[in-house]
Amino acid sequence: MTCALLFRLLLLMTLPALFQGKRFGSTSRLRYSRFLDPSNVIFLRWDFDLEAEIITFELQVRTAGWVGLGVTNRYTRVGSDLVVGGVLPDGNVYFSDQHLVDEDTLEEDGSQDAELQGLTEDAVYTTMRFSRPFRSCDAHDQDITSDTIRVLAAYGLDDTLKLDRDRTFVKSIFLLQIVHPDDLDVPEDTIIHDLELTDFLIPEDDTTYACTFLPLPIVSKKHHIFKFEPKLLKHNETMVHHILVYACGNASVLPTGISDCYGADPAFSLCSQATGIGHKTWAGSYQFPDDVGVSIGTPLDPQWIRLEIHYSNFHNVPGVYDSSGIRLYYTAKLRKYDMGVLQLGFFTFPIHFIPPGAESFLSYGLCKTEKFEEMNGVPVPDIQVYGYLLHTHLAGRALQAVQYRNGTQLRIICKDDFYDFNLQETRDLPYRMEIKQGDELLVECHYQTLDRDSLTFGGPSTINEMCLIFLFYYPRNNISSCMGYPDIIHVAHELGEEVSDSMEGMMAMNNVEWTPENIKKAEKACKEAQQTVIIKTIDEVVENTTGWIPEIIRAPRGPCLESSGGKVEPQDKTPAGFRAAPIALSGSSTATLRCLPLAALLFGQGALSWLLAILQVGV
């Protein structure tokens, strides 16, 4: 069969799809982009279709060799998937869906679930564009989810498919960003205001939380802050881990100067309602949805904020001054809703502990909203949650927030099963989620401490731990946080320690031999113990209640997408991966095979595979 006849058949077959809007070799704009390596050699663009559950990637690498893109995990590259491709010196292209059988060896998948849309090479770059399902039926393909994804990128200097560790990179990315900044409105009357430290000498300690109190912009009428942006000095970026802005109640008496947020002077930890959150790991700023803003300028609005900057000076570098902070964007063009932030999780200090040597350890923090109206002073309308931020330290592996109503699990509000301490950012929910007065909210945090030989306690230092989730919602109320902790006396008794108060209970944890059995026993005791729930308002009013940890119904995996285009539900008895039966090559097929790379590029891998089955030509 000649190339001309092959192309005619492909064109006839794909005409209906073309007229229905499917474009093979599409060059449509991909909205998201990121460099994947420190030298900016590897540039990734991507976009996705949530309804179709398809994601499209375009990888551009400064090389004349092969390029590859895939997904890996936190601990090892073994089992990672990698889609590879390139352009041979004669102009033919090659493209394949593969996986790593060990740290350095690639093997082609039995099911080819990536569809080539373009592969070019010029004097500078090799560019590969392809699409793939969020979840294929191939066991060798990693799922694309709303969790943090560890993107694997690699390339070679020629067309020999061999992994080189110097040209292999992993970067954590939140791929399924629901809202793109370009989709949001920027008012013409935007005003900028900076909240920052001034020439602060960063201590030589590993961890410092520096706090100061600053006034918000003075305005004569109500305005809305609609965007927060981290403001960092370039040479200090590696030392600034995150920046928080807390709104202060107008009745608060605030100290002056800069001091340790959680040190000897408790006044520097006043103001507990988080409002703005910035991280050096952000790809820029966070802008609220077009109908939501932080209200300033009315008698009910805060006039001062606490600026908190977490510095990590692990190399104990002396003499470094910093003037980092947060840039506010605000407008007189009012949005429909005033937003608030509700802090949930495990009350950090002094009860939280995590045993050493734990493969897995779960901590829980309960929130009961039944007292919200009483503490708020006026009726609390149902709140609509539109975004969230997750926070643990280095031992954290996963988090989730679960909602219950009348004793029944309603939904998982947000989660990340592949949390990365170095990628903490505000994320938008796919739709608004309603929380009613009386609902219970549970935060679960998953830790691993195999690299530690002593207890990890809750606290502000990076080597301590936290278990927090911030929910961004509207309309605003006065509740700033709602967090829980277990009865440590009960936990100590379950571990065979005799104690009479909470302080003795925490001290007793140092007496326990942390065998795998005792780690599981401690986790079970913490979960079954009665929780004390601490609720706090923006004016520092605190009330307690109690409750019990409900069971969590885990979210099932959704259907996979076969390379043939059909969805397969998890309960269906289908092989892990679709693969057409191999067809023997005939002697007359050689000329046709020379046409196949170009045909795949022009018409798509799926169309080509279908035609090859008809023609009885194997690849």
Side-chain angles (χ1 to χ4, degrees):
M1 175 176 289
T2 66
C3 285
L5 180 55
L6 175 63
F7 290 152
R8 285 175 189 172
L9 284 170
L10 282 166
L11 185 60
L12 287 172
M13 183 186 76
T14 56
L15 274 175
L18 289 170
F19 283 112
Q20 290 169 9
K22 183 171 182 179
R23 300 175 58 203
F24 295 96
S26 170
T27 57
S28 59
R29 175 177 171 267
L30 305 180
R31 296 178 298 163
Y32 304 95
S33 61
R34 195 75 52 87
F35 280 105
L36 301 183
D37 68 307
S39 301
N40 293 348
V41 170
I42 306 173
F43 189 61
L44 176 66
R45 296 182 180 90
W46 77 95
D47 212 333
F48 52 88
D49 185 330
L50 281 176
E51 185 175 349
E53 298 179 358
I54 297 289
I55 189 165
T56 299
F57 295 107
E58 184 177 276
L59 185 68
Q60 185 180 71
V61 186
R62 211 155 53 225
T63 184
W66 67 272
V67 299
L69 184 76
V71 178
T72 187
N73 66 53
R74 183 186 194 106
Y75 305 105
T76 177
R77 291 197 309 221
V78 177
S80 305
D81 67 60
L82 194 69
V83 175
V84 299
V87 181
L88 294 169
D90 62 6
N92 280 329
V93 303
Y94 54 94
F95 177 77
S96 177
D97 184 4
Q98 305 205 11
H99 63 277
L100 275 74
V101 293
D102 58 38
E103 289 284 339
D104 303 300
T105 307
L106 285 166
E107 183 177 286
E108 188 170 72
D109 292 1
S111 174
Q112 293 294 297
D113 298 286
E115 182 175 293
L116 181 62
Q117 295 185 355
L119 223 172
T120 61
E121 181 185 302
D122 58 26
V124 181
Y125 299 107
T126 295
T127 304
M128 177 175 69
R129 181 174 175 136
F130 66 94
S131 63
R132 56 151 288 182
F134 288 179
R135 183 186 172 214
S136 78
C137 297
D138 186 353
H140 293 303
D141 290 342
Q142 305 288 329
D143 291 356
I144 302 292
T145 66
S146 58
D147 302 311
T148 296
I149 302 297
R150 286 170 172 81
V151 175
L152 173 67
Y155 69 97
L157 300 180
D158 55 30
D159 293 302
T160 304
L161 282 178
K162 183 178 180 181
L163 287 174
D164 185 322
R165 299 194 180 200
D166 292 335
R167 288 184 286 276
T168 303
F169 303 91
V170 176
K171 191 174 187 70
S172 291
I173 303 178
F174 180 52
L175 289 174
L176 301 186
Q177 302 175 54
I178 303 300
V179 178
H180 190 278
D182 290 350
D183 301 330
L184 299 171
D185 177 55
V186 178
E188 292 181 359
D189 67 342
T190 296
I191 307 167
I192 293 174
H193 182 82
D194 290 337
L195 302 168
E196 59 191 9
L197 299 181
T198 302
D199 293 330
F200 173 68
L201 178 61
I202 301 175
E204 297 174 36
D205 303 326
D206 290 353
T207 299
T208 299
Y209 281 79
C211 277
T212 192
F213 296 87
L214 299 169
L216 284 167
I218 299 173
V219 290
S220 59
K221 62 179 182 178
K222 181 173 180 173
H223 286 61
H224 268 141
I225 300 170
F226 65 90
K227 180 178 175 181
F228 287 96
E229 183 175 79
K231 188 171 182 285
L232 305 173
L233 292 186
K234 190 169 184 61
H235 60 281
N236 292 345
E237 283 180 340
T238 57
M239 291 190 182
V240 178
H241 182 263
H242 70 253
I243 306 170
L244 294 172
V245 174
Y246 291 94
C248 297
N250 292 333
S252 303
V253 179
L254 306 175
T256 58
I258 305 172
S259 186
D260 187 340
C261 306
Y262 308 104
D265 187 348
F268 278 89
S269 63
L270 289 172
C271 311
S272 57
Q273 186 170 61
T275 299
I277 302 173
H279 289 260
K280 70 181 179 70
T281 50
W282 279 18
S285 57
Y286 178 72
Q287 185 168 333
F288 302 128
D290 288 341
D291 57 348
V292 176
V294 177
S295 178
I296 57 173
T298 80
L300 297 176
D301 295 330
Q303 298 173 21
W304 287 74
I305 59 91
R306 171 164 64 94
L307 179 69
E308 172 184 301
I309 302 183
H310 176 183
Y311 293 101
S312 295
N313 188 359
F314 289 123
H315 298 292
N316 310 119
V317 180
V320 179
Y321 289 85
D322 186 58
S323 298
S324 295
I326 288 276
R327 174 162 287 176
L328 313 179
Y329 294 76
Y330 65 100
T331 174
K333 183 180 178 182
L334 298 181
R335 274 105 192 284
K336 187 174 181 180
Y337 302 109
D338 296 340
M339 65 83 70
V341 181
L342 178 63
Q343 181 176 320
L344 306 174
F346 196 117
F347 197 78
T348 301
F349 185 81
I351 300 300
H352 198 190
F353 75 91
I354 302 157
E359 174 72 36
S360 171
F361 189 83
L362 299 176
S363 293
Y364 298 90
L366 181 66
C367 168
K368 300 184 72 172
T369 67
E370 59 193 24
K371 286 181 173 281
F372 276 18
E373 189 165 301
E374 173 190 338
M375 295 183 67
N376 192 55
V378 295
V380 175
D382 298 339
I383 66 174
Q384 310 295 322
V385 181
Y386 67 86
Y388 63 96
L389 183 138
L390 314 173
H391 181 67
T392 76
H393 290 171
L394 295 172
R397 296 295 182 266
L399 302 87
Q400 64 176 332
V402 188
Q403 182 183 6
Y404 300 83
R405 184 170 296 159
N406 300 322
T408 301
Q409 181 173 321
L410 189 62
R411 62 168 66 95
I412 294 174
I413 298 174
C414 56
K415 73 173 185 67
D416 192 338
D417 289 334
F418 304 104
Y419 173 82
D420 186 339
F421 173 71
N422 291 310
L423 183 68
Q424 300 180 54
E425 55 191 355
T426 303
R427 300 176 177 179
D428 294 294
L429 291 169
Y431 59 91
R432 311 286 167 93
M433 298 186 184
E434 186 175 74
I435 296 175
K436 292 181 174 292
Q437 171 92 0
D439 287 354
E440 292 188 353
L441 307 171
L442 178 65
V443 172
E444 177 191 74
C445 292
H446 176 195
Y447 300 98
Q448 187 186 86
T449 57
L450 290 174
D451 59 341
R452 304 188 184 193
D453 55 13
S454 60
L455 280 164
T456 299
F457 292 103
S461 172
T462 303
I463 60 172
N464 297 138
E465 264 310 330
M466 290 184 171
C467 174
L468 302 175
I469 293 182
F470 299 87
L471 296 184
F472 292 73
Y473 72 90
Y474 64 85
R476 180 188 69 186
N477 59 53
N478 289 326
I479 308 300
S480 61
S481 64
C482 181
M483 298 186 288
Y485 63 88
D487 177 1
I488 193 65
I489 299 174
H490 167 83
V491 175
H493 289 169
E494 291 296 304
L495 292 169
E497 300 291 330
E498 291 299 323
V499 300
S500 57
D501 59 37
S502 295
M503 187 60 68
E504 285 186 5
M506 285 302 292
M507 295 291 291
M509 295 302 106
N510 290 300
N511 302 330
V512 178
E513 182 183 357
W514 290 112
T515 63
E517 294 76 17
N518 280 337
I519 290 171
K520 285 301 173 188
K521 187 182 290 187
E523 179 184 278
K524 183 173 183 289
C526 287
K527 184 177 179 182
E528 294 178 349
Q530 186 178 59
Q531 285 248 329
T532 297
V533 180
I534 300 177
I535 307 165
K536 185 183 290 189
T537 72
I538 189 172
D539 293 311
E540 307 297 327
V541 176
V542 179
E543 285 203 23
N544 295 352
T545 185
T546 58
W548 304 90
I549 300 298
E551 289 298 322
I552 297 176
I553 302 172
R554 307 290 167 176
R557 293 177 73 191
C560 61
L561 187 66
E562 283 190 331
S563 53
S564 59
K567 280 192 175 182
V568 180
E569 297 294 338
Q571 64 269 23
D572 292 344
K573 293 181 180 178
T574 304
F578 169 84
R579 185 177 185 180
I583 302 166
L585 281 170
S586 65
S588 61
S589 300
T590 308
T592 304
L593 287 174
R594 286 198 295 266
C595 309
L596 295 184
L598 183 56
L601 177 60
L602 292 175
F603 297 97
Q605 194 75 29
L608 182 59
S609 300
W610 185 85
L611 182 63
L612 288 175
I614 297 175
L615 298 175
Q616 294 191 351
V617 176
V619 181

